[in-house]
Amino acid sequence: MIDTLIFDFGDVFINLDKQATPLAFKKLGLENWSPQIDTLNFNFEKGLISRADFLAGLNQLVPNASPEEVLNAWNEVLLDFPLSRLEFLELIANNYQVFLLSNTDSIHINHFKEKNGDAFYNRFYNCFSKVYFSYDLGRRKPDVEIYKYVINENNLIPENTLFIDDNFDNIEGAKKAGLQVWHLQKGQEEVTEIFDKGIL
């Protein structure tokens, strides 16, 4: 019996446009998306480099852009957060132990807070028993260790815990940790349909 839920953030609750940031950097003069950006991103998401070093690394790839333009381009990926999803989360948090586990960075989280306001931000975070961000843990999904960390810290029973994510690799990592999973199909399914689909 499922008594605990672990949710991803991007494209589960907040909508993302994963092509928007590459397009924004192209407008700033970047001809092709560089593996160097992926490396910077992974290191920043693991908390291995500072915000300043991350932005400086991006700025080196588009030297004619201002630091503000680079920051804005990086945040282009973040879209809206439908109120219906927040209301669903508030409802489900009354009956289940709920956690958030996200690969993200401090820039995106700060932008989310600034864009949506303190009231929305607090309503969202107050739904969770605990929030886990990759940059705080020094780990990223789909590494099995990040799931085991959440499981062990909270004494969770994996077979009673459902992990929800739109990313196939993250789902596979969760399976290896023994978690139950729902691979949410972006654009075809809504997290709010979890009961209608018989997931719970």
Side-chain angles (χ1 to χ4, degrees), residues 19-36:
Q19 296 306 312
T21 287
L23 286 172
F25 273 97
K26 191 171 184 178
K27 290 177 182 176
L28 295 179
L30 185 71
E31 291 188 11
N32 296 299
W33 190 261
S34 164
Q36 187 178 342

Side-chain angles (χ1 to χ4, degrees), residues 84-100:
S84 60
R85 294 179 189 166
L86 177 59
E87 291 172 340
F88 154 81
L89 181 61
E90 289 174 328
L91 182 65
I92 209 169
N94 290 325
N95 300 303
Y96 294 87
Q97 185 175 208
V98 179
F99 297 91
L100 187 72

Side-chain angles (χ1 to χ4, degrees), residues 144-178:
V144 176
E145 291 307 313
I146 198 169
Y147 306 99
K148 289 185 176 179
Y149 181 88
V150 176
I151 291 166
N152 294 335
E153 186 173 79
N154 299 284
N155 298 310
L156 304 181
I157 301 171
E159 55 265 33
N160 294 347
T161 304
L162 179 67
F163 174 73
I164 300 102
D165 200 302
D166 67 299
N167 182 290
F168 176 78
D169 290 338
N170 294 346
I171 289 292
E172 291 299 300
K175 284 182 183 178
K176 291 175 183 175

Side-chain angles (χ1 to χ4, degrees), residues 11 22 45 91 97 121 124 126 142-143 151 162 164 168 188:
D11 279 332
E45 282 191 349
L91 182 65
Q97 185 175 208
Y121 177 90
F124 178 62
N126 286 339
D143 296 340
I151 291 166
L162 179 67
I164 300 102
F168 176 78
Q188 301 174 38

